[in-house]
Amino acid sequence: TVVRTAANLLKSSDCQVYVWNAATRTLTPASLMAAPDVPAKHVARPDHGVTQWVIANRQIITREDLEKDYALRGLLDDEPNPPDALIPLTVGGELLGLVVLHGMPANSQHGARLLPIFATVCALGVKNAQLFQRIEEMARRDGLTGLWNRATFNESLDRLTQQARDQQHPLCVVMSDVDHFKKFNDTFGHQAGDHVLREVARLWKASLPDSAVVARYGGEEFIAILPNSNLARARELAESLRGELQAYPLDFEGQELHVTASFGI
């Protein structure tokens, strides 16, 4: 929508959208108007030139600004061929991304007046999309452990089982039940039980391949789909996880909890 709006409203022939990751301070290309095999006219680098200035100042900058403003002219030394406009997408001071525009009509006062409006509307659209995605993600995950919930697991199992049949690839499911889980709640309280479940979940995620679909099946039961894994490989992974859990020094408020689990494949 951002790309189409840039073309229709601002008459831009080329629009690039970048998503900003504040934690890693990186920009990821999200959309290109040009065909995928056509190189971008401008590569936004957060530590360089015009892009660095826009990220630091959270202000729109145009080619005309760079050419007319003496204080900004030095940026042309780093980028002698800057984009027609570089627009930060911000909401409440939070930087969400950047829009880079090329091919805008020259000396268009109408376009210049529309840039701040375009920036505001696009930023709100991106923010709303991110919030919707976050809510959707929360609905698909278990609130305590952060693993996929049972409904999401069942959807994944149907899809991956059909895919394995179609491609004639092996698929295994590993399921586990924490042994004598009730004693943790009875002896140390429900906070201890929750702590055990979170730590067990963390070990499952750390020990299984990235391709595994790991979920909390219910209560103290955990389950994972292992695509492209035969029975021998699944047994090896399950045994490794069982051993890691048994040897793991799980501490809760100064008490060492000995956690074991039973597995099935």
Side-chain angles (χ1 to χ4, degrees), residues 138-153:
M138 288 169 62
R140 293 170 59 82
R141 290 194 179 273
D142 172 60
L144 178 65
T145 64
L147 300 180
W148 297 118
N149 59 30
R150 185 168 178 169
T152 305
F153 172 84

Side-chain angles (χ1 to χ4, degrees), residues 22 53 55 60 87 111 124 129 137 166 174 210 247 252:
W53 187 93
I55 289 173
I60 298 170
I87 303 166
L124 290 172
E137 176 90 355
D166 293 344
V174 174
D210 291 340
F252 177 74

Side-chain angles (χ1 to χ4, degrees), residues 1-238:
T1 301
V2 171
V3 171
R4 285 199 305 269
T5 304
N8 296 331
L9 186 68
L10 303 173
K11 310 305 178 187
S12 169
S13 63
D14 185 280
C15 174
Q16 299 161 244
V17 182
Y18 289 85
V19 176
W20 171 249
N21 185 322
T24 59
R25 297 191 62 79
T26 55
L27 290 166
T28 304
S31 176
L32 295 174
M33 178 179 283
D37 56 344
V38 177
K41 291 183 179 179
H42 174 84
V43 178
R45 290 169 44 194
D47 59 347
H48 180 73
V50 179
T51 303
Q52 185 180 36
W53 187 93
V54 169
I55 289 173
N57 293 276
R58 305 287 204 270
Q59 292 181 28
I60 298 170
I61 195 168
T62 65
R63 182 192 291 263
E64 190 174 352
D65 294 332
L66 293 169
E67 292 171 349
K68 291 185 176 181
D69 191 327
Y70 183 78
L72 298 174
R73 202 173 298 169
L75 295 172
L76 290 172
D77 295 337
D78 293 331
E79 293 183 72
N81 187 29
D84 290 335
L86 208 158
I87 303 166
L89 301 180
T90 61
V91 174
E94 178 191 2
L95 180 64
L96 306 175
L98 299 176
V99 176
V100 182
L101 300 176
H102 286 276
M104 291 176 62
N107 302 317
S108 171
Q109 292 185 353
H110 176 70
R113 285 197 300 269
L114 288 174
L115 284 178
I117 301 171
F118 172 78
T120 300
V121 173
C122 291
L124 290 172
V126 170
K127 184 65 175 179
N128 286 340
Q130 289 180 345
L131 289 173
F132 180 80
Q133 186 179 38
R134 198 171 301 159
I135 291 168
E136 191 177 48
E137 176 90 355
M138 288 169 62
R140 293 170 59 82
R141 290 194 179 273
D142 172 60
L144 178 65
T145 64
L147 300 180
W148 297 118
N149 59 30
R150 185 168 178 169
T152 305
F153 172 84
N154 288 336
E155 290 175 12
S156 300
L157 183 61
D158 289 342
R159 174 175 52 83
L160 291 172
T161 300
Q162 187 58 53
Q163 183 178 304
R165 285 196 188 104
D166 293 344
Q167 299 176 355
Q168 296 187 333
H169 288 164
L171 178 143
C172 280
V173 172
V174 174
M175 193 169 189
S176 170
D177 195 315
V178 176
D179 297 329
H180 313 297
F181 179 72
K182 188 174 180 294
K183 76 174 184 181
F184 295 112
N185 289 331
D186 292 345
T187 306
F188 303 104
H190 286 277
Q191 287 185 330
D194 289 349
H195 181 64
V196 167
L197 293 175
R198 282 192 292 265
E199 288 299 292
V200 170
R202 193 179 63 78
L203 277 176
W204 273 69
K205 284 294 291 181
S207 301
L208 295 179
D210 291 340
S211 59
V213 177
V214 184
R216 183 183 177 193
Y217 199 68
E220 65 272 23
E221 297 172 333
F222 295 85
I223 197 164
I225 308 167
L226 302 174
N228 299 311
S229 290
N230 58 26
L231 197 61
R233 175 59 176 157
R235 184 189 298 274
E236 179 185 333
L237 288 169

